[in-house]
Amino acid sequence: SKGRVLLFEVKKTESSSKGRNGNTSIALEFELSLTYEKNISLGPVTSLNALCCEGKTRIVVGAGAEITIEQWGGGKLTQMGFFHANMQVKEITLFKTFFLLSDAYDSLYFLVWRESDKSLTLLAKDYEPIPVYAAGLISRGGAMSFICQDDRQNLQFFQYAPNDSAARGGNKLVCRADFHLGDQTIFFGSHWCRSSLLINSATPNSTLAALKRQDTLFGRVDDDQRFAVNFGTTDGGFGSVVPLSEQVYWRLTALQSVMSNALESNCALSQRSWRLYRRTPRRGGCRSNDRKKGVIDGALILKYADLPLTDQEDLASAIGSTVELILDNILELGCASTVV
């Protein structure tokens, strides 16, 4: 099978009309005109993106098992670089000049575009033969992680850590956490995690300016520079994955452990076992038997706010914390997961 890339030019025109009262109204009209088309013999086009580097904008085309970098000039698209994946390009996510490539049958690839020699270079990849349905990026401060979902409704979190002993000399993405979502999604969208001080303000721009005047470090710490991912599920649900600071993570981990034992679960099922990573039955899987875990179950943690005050105090004292501090963490978590 083959694919095509179509380039359209957007033309904007203004039209004026007079109403019954004599007032003139101006309406904007947009028209699409086909400028160029290019046949792709590598396979159907499954992903398109834009690469901006050193003042130049190029088109990134994912077709079949190939990624090509195309540049517009002279009335046509000219290939500037390429990378050959293993099976089928599913999605291409760009961050500056870095590429996160998800393969429909062969997990994740982490690439970088080098303008000096017009080449796509493989930095690291995941060697597990995992069918990837969706992939995205989350970050907190200067730390970035890659998130993907597989065919068994698992979430896995990877990092590019060339100095880690588990990275096989730097060419392997290191799995940091895993989680069984239990729902299927096909896309991860990124959003900026906003503070409760901003999201509950009627004038967020002036509030942000006032906070920066009061505290010169506001907006510079890692918790103020977080990007999360949001996703919709095939059964009509919506969720977010938010990066947490280490202090908040360990507090909520302890609370999650206590709540899973103290609260009644539906049909006496284990909440902890439900969120464990489901291993793939595919032949050739080389992942070890240990599960990384490392993800807080937000659906369980949010139940804390609905509990009676006495139960909240008992659970807070069990982990050596206070009700006010836990509710504040839950509030910040809810605000950070808000997209609109």
Side-chain angles (χ1 to χ4, degrees):
S1 59
K2 299 181 180 180
R4 286 192 305 166
V5 174
L6 305 178
L7 292 184
F8 292 89
E9 182 182 0
V10 181
K11 297 180 180 180
K12 182 175 69 173
T13 59
E14 295 182 357
S15 61
S16 59
S17 61
K18 288 187 177 181
R20 294 180 179 180
N21 54 2
N23 295 332
T24 303
S25 60
I26 299 177
L28 292 178
E29 297 180 354
F30 296 92
E31 180 183 353
L32 287 177
S33 61
L34 181 61
T35 302
Y36 178 79
E37 63 176 290
K38 181 177 182 179
N39 293 322
I40 306 295
S41 60
L42 301 171
V45 178
T46 56
S47 180
L48 283 175
N49 219 317
L51 170 65
C52 298
C53 182
E54 297 185 3
K56 299 178 182 179
T57 302
R58 300 185 175 94
I59 300 176
V60 181
V61 181
E66 199 95 5
I67 298 178
T68 60
I69 310 296
E70 308 279 348
Q71 182 170 333
W72 175 256
K76 64 178 182 179
L77 287 175
T78 305
Q79 181 176 320
M80 305 297 295
F82 73 96
F83 177 81
H84 185 77
N86 192 20
M87 294 292 288
Q88 175 70 47
V89 175
K90 172 67 172 59
E91 186 180 354
I92 302 172
T93 305
L94 266 65
F95 174 74
K96 296 184 178 180
T97 58
F98 296 96
F99 290 59
L100 179 64
L101 163 65
S102 59
D103 193 297
Y105 299 97
D106 201 36
S107 199
L108 299 179
Y109 295 74
F110 186 48
L111 316 170
V112 64
W113 168 256
R114 304 189 188 278
E115 184 67 28
S116 57
D117 56 354
K118 305 291 189 300
S119 66
L120 271 173
T121 304
L122 176 65
L123 296 178
K125 62 169 290 188
D126 177 38
Y127 287 89
E128 278 288 314
I130 300 174
V132 176
Y133 279 38
L137 305 173
I138 61 174
S139 65
R140 177 179 174 270
M144 176 172 289
S145 299
F146 313 131
I147 177 176
C148 71
Q149 189 186 40
D150 58 22
D151 59 334
R152 298 183 68 81
Q153 302 176 350
N154 297 309
L155 296 181
Q156 292 188 77
F157 299 81
F158 296 92
Q159 275 189 339
Y160 174 60
N163 297 326
D164 196 299
S165 58
R168 298 182 183 177
N171 61 359
K172 182 180 183 296
L173 293 176
V174 181
C175 182
R176 298 298 191 188
D178 50 44
F179 183 78
H180 180 68
L181 183 62
D183 294 301
Q184 198 66 63
T185 183
I186 59 173
F187 178 75
F188 287 122
S190 297
H191 69 272
W192 175 51
C193 298
R194 290 175 291 178
S195 169
S196 61
L197 298 175
L198 297 177
I199 203 169
N200 294 321
S201 173
T203 55
N205 292 333
S206 59
T207 302
L208 179 60
L211 289 172
K212 288 184 177 180
R213 285 197 300 268
Q214 294 177 2
D215 185 3
T216 57
L217 295 179
F218 184 84
R220 299 183 182 181
V221 297
D222 290 346
D223 280 344
D224 296 328
Q225 301 175 0
R226 294 184 296 168
F227 281 88
V229 296
N230 55 82
F231 57 90
T233 61
T234 54
D235 60 357
F238 184 82
S240 297
V241 180
V242 179
L244 301 174
S245 64
E246 185 175 0
Q247 185 178 13
V248 174
Y249 168 77
W250 287 115
R251 182 181 298 116
L252 295 183
T253 297
L255 178 64
Q256 176 181 255
S257 178
V258 173
M259 290 182 65
S260 62
N261 294 326
L263 300 183
E264 294 182 359
S265 59
N266 296 330
C267 303
L269 299 176
S270 173
Q271 186 80 15
R272 189 175 303 172
S273 299
W274 166 245
R275 295 305 185 184
L276 291 178
Y277 176 84
R278 303 292 198 275
R279 299 182 181 90
T280 177
R282 281 188 61 187
R283 188 177 179 183
C286 56
R287 175 166 173 165
S288 59
N289 290 329
D290 62 317
R291 295 181 171 98
K292 302 297 182 180
K293 302 179 183 178
V295 180
I296 303 295
D297 185 3
L300 177 61
I301 292 297
L302 292 178
K303 293 180 181 179
Y304 181 85
D306 298 328
L307 296 176
L309 179 59
T310 54
D311 293 344
Q312 291 180 349
E313 292 175 344
D314 291 341
L315 292 173
S317 62
I319 63 172
S321 184
T322 62
V323 176
E324 292 77 12
L325 185 57
I326 294 175
L327 290 178
D328 184 64
N329 292 153
I330 294 176
L331 173 63
E332 290 293 337
L333 180 61
C335 293
S337 60
T338 303
V339 179
V340 180

